[in-house]
Structure formats: C-alpha cells, structure tokens
Amino acid sequence: MNHNHFMETTPQITIKSLSRFALGAMASRGTFFVLAVFFRLSLEFGYRVYVHPIHGYSGFPWEPSIIKYIESWLILGFLVAFAPSKLSKPSDFFINVLLFGLMIPLLSFYNLADQSRQHLYIVILGYALVDVFRSGRSFRFPVLREGRIIAFLFVGAGVVGVSTWFVASGGISFFNLDLTEVYQYRRSASAVIHAGPMGYINTWAWKVFGPALLAIALWKKKYWMAIFVIGIHVFWFGVSAHKSVLFYPLLVVCIWFWFTRSNALGIVPLGSMIVVLLSLLIFYLADYNLPASLFVRRVFYVIANNTFDYYEFFSNNPLVWWSNSSVSLGLLDYPYDIGAAELIGKWRGSGGHINNTFLSTGYMHAGVLGIFMYGILAGLLFRLIDSFATKGVPVWVVLAVLVVPSRSMLLSADLPTSLLTHGIGVGIIILFLVRKSAANRHLHADAPVR
C-alpha cells in the first residue's frame, strides 16, 4: 500500500467514523434522557440567576419546595421515559416540542414557584391524552394524480400574492430591517397590510406558504429557489415588522439539515439547552439581557406562568364554553366584557395580552372536559399529520410545512384558532396534495437516516 495514500485517507475515515458515532449516540435512549435532565438543570439555573432576580416582580417568585422538587423530577423521569427519542413520524417531533417547550418548564416552575399541584396534574392529563391518541392506524385518503403540481401552484400563488399585496397596499413604505425599531413600525404597517381577509392570508404566507415552498425547494435540491424564499421572508419581515417572520426559514433549514442526516430527537433538548446557556452567557459577559429575556424567560417560563394563571382564574370564575368563538354560532353569551387574553392580563395586573397553549384554552372553555376533548382531538390531528408521511413525503418535509403553526397550537393558541388563523388547516391541505401513490414513490433517499 502507498504510505502517502494511507496518510491522506486515514483522517477522512476517522472524521467520518466519529461523525457516525456521534449521530448514533445522539439517537440513544440514554443520551436523550441525559440531555433532558441537563436541559431542566440549565433552565433552573437560568431561573435562579436571571429570571427571578430580574423579573421576579412580574410573577416569578423564588419559593422552592423540597417535596415538589422531588415530585417534579419523578414526573420528568416518567414523561421522558415514554417520550420518543428517535424520529419515525412527524408527531414524534411535535410531542417533544410539547414536552420540552411546556411540560419540563411547567415542572420546573411548579417546584421553584410553589404552584398548584391540581393544575399541574390536569395539564399532565392533557399531555398524556395527546400522546395516546396520536398512536394508531394511519388515516387513508385518495391520492390526486396532479396533486403536487396543484400544491406547488397553490403555495407559489400565496407567496407571490402576499408579496404583491405588500407593495400594492403601500405597506412597503414601512420597510425596515432594524430589529431594534420594529415596534415603531408594526402598528402602522399592520393597519395597512392586514386589511380584510389579508390578515389571515398574510399569516398563512409566512407561517405556511413560505416554509412549505422552502421545504419543497430543499427537498428537490432547488437551492436557488431556497435562497429566493429566504429573501422573500426578509422582505416580509421588513414590511410586517414581525421578528418571528425572519426566523421561520431558519427552523426549516435546521429541520432539513438535521433530519436528513439523523433521526435523533435528542437535538430538541440539546438545542434548547444550548440556547438557554448561550443566552445566560451573553447576559453575564456582555451585560446584555435581551437573549436571556427572550429565550429563558419568555420562551419557557412565561408559558409555564401563564398556564398556571389560566387554570387558577378559570377554576374560580365562569368557563367560556366557546362563546367567544364562531363555533358557538352565537348561541351562547360570552360571560366577560373583554377577550380571554386581555382578561388574564387584567386579572394579573399587567394589562398584557396573555395567550397560552391549547391545554390552557381547553380548560378555559370546559374545564377538565375541555382537556379531554382537546387532548383527544390534538392526538387525532397529529395522527392525521403522520398519515401524510406514509405517501412518498419525507418526514422532515411534513415537519417543515407544519412546524410553525403546530408550535403556535402547542404553546400559544387555541385549537380552533390554530387550525384556521395560524394555518394548520392550510398546511394539511398542502400535505394532502403533495402525496404520491405507492407506485410513484421514488424519493426515499431523502428520508431521515434510520
């Protein structure tokens, strides 16, 4: 053997082997469990050194309970033990979002702020119902022969139509790319670009149409189109002044990059832990608290705090019974004079607009009955979504199309609102169209590593 050839190839083989080993380790149940533990520890460290000292006045007390500390860790072990550590269907990812985005922060806040045990277990009931009912046989629907062409035209028309509207309506006059000045433009821009039904269509565009077109471009390896879609999102952000619009493409790219190489769901707690620790590091080293405020307080602990507030308020006040929704058909009288989100803000004393998860709004509508209804419906909805990944559509594509609206449902919106306003229904239509029959499945090479 040529010695030089051996020296040249050995490092490449070693790096490749190490990469495979790392990906394999990430997919193990043990690694998943350890990452879940360290994620919670990083969250609680953040609460102790940042959230309580800086934001304690706004509902983040330091009242740890030894009994609840032990209890919450036992519950965490149970939940993580039954959570999927590998991606085999889309709902595996979504249940992890619910676990690490809601349940673990909720367990942490339950202990550190001495919150209600009754309310915690009602939320756990809802989580368990989602997890149980997402499993089972896939739903079957007919496959449209020209469905993919229709889907592409539908998505493309949405992207082009909204972009054109932003110009034609005069919204482009508010164009701004400075993240520190978005609040100066948002109200004025919204009054122009969200006129009439465009309020719905705009939201569908940046939560579903744009991410779906980006996912299709990456799936088909049309990277020029992917760059174009990212540019469109930058344009939409500049006009709308919504920072989240700028980061939605990043979610899609991350999903594509990771799940075409690995099926390890340990990336969810690992990524969350890294974001928390980096935010705290920036706070300590640069005395700049915006990342910590966004990613430690707002993303994790605000949701937990809001959840307990919803349950406390509606345990002692009239339930809504969907009287604030069009599903009531005007047959029921809404018992309050302001919307539920404003109602919680007024009751809390902050005057804010307090949205929260579907497991909170389910309780708001019908108490424990609402939790049963929403838990079962959400589980069946995820089973429906799983069905689309069995017809020639890679799992990561299904995730990319629905990751943004599904996160809204899981962490910040009512279930009917998520289906219509936030675009889950539109995303489901797109996924229904892009499926292929068994005879035409030729794209499995793009599926996640198994």
Side-chain angles (χ1 to χ4, degrees), residues 166-424:
F166 277 16
V167 176
S169 66
I172 196 171
S173 63
F174 302 102
F175 188 83
N176 161 68
L177 295 179
D178 188 339
L179 288 169
T180 64
E181 296 184 3
V182 293
Y183 297 110
Q184 299 179 29
Y185 292 90
R186 183 178 298 174
R187 184 182 298 273
S188 299
S190 295
V192 173
I193 65 175
H194 291 324
M198 293 307 298
Y200 289 101
I201 299 172
N202 293 340
T203 303
W204 296 344
W206 55 60
K207 288 192 173 186
V208 183
F209 294 149
L213 189 59
L214 178 57
I216 292 171
L218 294 171
W219 179 19
K220 298 294 187 177
K221 297 181 172 61
K222 305 294 185 182
Y223 300 118
W224 61 268
M225 184 188 294
I227 294 172
F228 170 77
V229 175
I230 292 172
I232 288 291
H233 269 265
V234 174
F235 170 68
W236 288 344
F237 156 71
V239 175
S240 69
H242 284 277
K243 289 180 286 188
S244 55
V245 176
L246 193 60
F247 296 104
Y248 292 155
L250 181 61
L251 281 175
V252 175
V253 171
C254 288
I255 287 172
W256 162 74
F257 180 82
W258 181 260
F259 290 118
T260 55
R261 292 161 176 80
S262 172
N263 63 355
L265 284 169
I267 191 64
V268 179
L270 176 63
S272 301
M273 180 178 65
I274 290 173
V275 168
V276 167
L277 293 178
L278 281 178
S279 300
L280 295 173
L281 187 63
I282 292 171
F283 170 66
Y284 267 97
L285 296 182
D287 195 24
Y288 183 61
N289 72 349
L290 180 60
S293 178
L294 288 175
F295 297 115
V296 183
R297 180 190 66 90
R298 185 172 180 179
V299 169
F300 294 110
Y301 281 113
V302 164
I303 292 175
N305 193 5
N306 291 348
T307 299
F308 282 112
D309 279 354
Y310 262 77
Y311 281 74
E312 182 176 350
F313 180 86
F314 287 105
S315 293
N316 299 288
N317 292 281
L319 298 173
V320 173
W321 295 102
W322 293 277
S323 58
N324 62 337
S325 171
S326 58
V327 300
S328 71
L329 301 177
L331 299 177
L332 299 174
D333 292 328
Y334 182 62
Y336 304 100
D337 57 357
I338 56 176
E342 291 83 4
L343 180 68
I344 299 298
K346 181 179 179 181
W347 171 76
R348 179 188 284 179
S350 65
H353 189 91
I354 312 299
N355 287 316
N356 209 33
T357 78
F358 75 109
L359 291 177
S360 294
T361 57
Y363 188 83
M364 171 189 78
H365 287 300
V368 176
L369 174 61
I371 292 296
F372 270 98
M373 292 175 62
Y374 273 22
I376 293 171
L377 288 174
L380 293 176
L381 177 64
F382 286 144
R383 194 194 303 183
L384 171 65
I385 293 169
D386 288 342
S387 302
F388 298 133
T390 64
K391 291 289 185 179
V393 182
V395 174
W396 75 264
V397 172
V398 177
L399 290 182
V401 172
L402 290 175
V403 63
V404 177
S406 293
R407 187 188 181 280
S408 296
M409 183 193 82
L410 292 171
L411 301 179
S412 64
D414 196 12
L415 185 56
T417 303
S418 300
L419 288 170
L420 179 60
T421 305
H422 291 283
I424 289 182

Side-chain angles (χ1 to χ4, degrees), residues 44 99 102 121 138 173 216 232 299:
E44 298 194 337
L99 174 62
L102 173 64
Y121 280 92
S138 299
S173 63
I216 292 171
I232 288 291
V299 169

Side-chain angles (χ1 to χ4, degrees), residues 124-139:
I124 292 174
L125 169 65
Y127 172 87
L129 288 168
V130 175
D131 199 22
V132 168
F133 280 89
R134 74 184 181 92
S135 302
R137 289 186 177 182
S138 299
F139 296 107

